[in-house]
Amino acid sequence: MTDLTALFTDLVRLETRLYNVLDARLKAEHALPLGQFEFLRFIAAHGTARVYDLAREMAITVGATSKAVDRLEAAGRVRRTANPSDRRSSLVELTPAGAEILATATPTVEAELQTWAGSVLPAPVLDQLATSLSMLRQRAELDPRTDRHHSSAADS
């Protein structure tokens, strides 16, 4: 029988180490922290996003997300525009500079992930791992106990 506590420990330590190596490489080569890369990637995939949407995706508070968006905006990588369907919120979109840094940083992330996962696990095992992690994430996202968003505001 699988020791779920050991599995959890391995998963957390792996995530921490991968995050650290990806973050260090992105900062060194692109002056882009991994957290900002993740925000840019989500926004690019959706065209625009509310701060609330980013907070839900990243599993962090709206306040922390708003500060991160402030940093991206100050760096010229995103811009906020008024949300035409909800005056209390704004929409965040990539600027050309944000799209450019995302495009140049993505191969760096993919190369690093290939080193740490793609070159270690056979393709069928990697596919199964991806499916399994997706299932676990979906389960976690359905449970409100895993949600760090406790703000009553829909957005900032």
Side-chain angles (χ1 to χ4, degrees):
M1 177 165 215
T2 301
D3 179 344
L4 293 178
T5 303
L7 172 70
F8 171 77
T9 299
D10 285 346
L11 186 61
V12 170
R13 298 305 178 268
L14 173 63
E15 185 276 338
T16 301
R17 290 177 185 276
L18 287 178
Y19 197 97
N20 290 343
V21 75
L22 284 165
D23 186 57
R25 185 161 175 201
L26 282 174
K27 285 176 181 174
E29 295 181 22
H30 304 283
L32 179 69
L34 180 55
Q36 288 187 10
F37 173 84
E38 291 184 279
F39 275 60
L40 295 175
R41 191 168 176 266
F42 181 85
I43 296 164
H46 293 85
T48 60
R50 299 176 305 159
V51 169
Y52 175 81
D53 300 328
L54 287 162
R56 296 275 306 176
E57 174 66 17
M58 303 304 162
I60 59 176
T61 65
V62 169
T65 304
S66 185
K67 288 176 185 174
V69 170
D70 289 345
R71 287 189 292 275
L72 282 166
E73 193 171 29
R77 294 173 174 161
V78 300
R79 81 173 128 273
R80 293 185 204 219
T81 58
N83 185 342
S85 61
D86 181 358
R87 292 179 29 167
R88 298 172 298 154
S89 71
S90 58
L91 298 175
V92 181
E93 62 186 357
L94 292 184
T95 62
E100 182 179 332
I101 191 80
L102 179 62
T104 60
T106 296
T108 303
V109 171
E110 290 172 352
E112 202 64 50
L113 291 174
Q114 177 62 30
T115 296
W116 294 101
S119 68
V120 176
L121 298 174
V125 174
L126 199 56
D127 289 344
Q128 183 60 49
L129 177 61
T131 299
S132 297
L133 287 175
S134 179
M135 289 170 57
L136 290 171
R137 180 178 174 181
Q138 288 173 32
R139 165 62 179 93
E141 288 176 350
L142 291 173
D143 192 321
R145 295 175 298 167
T146 68
D147 191 355
R148 295 192 67 185
H149 176 264
H150 298 292
S151 172
S152 60
D155 192 351
S156 61

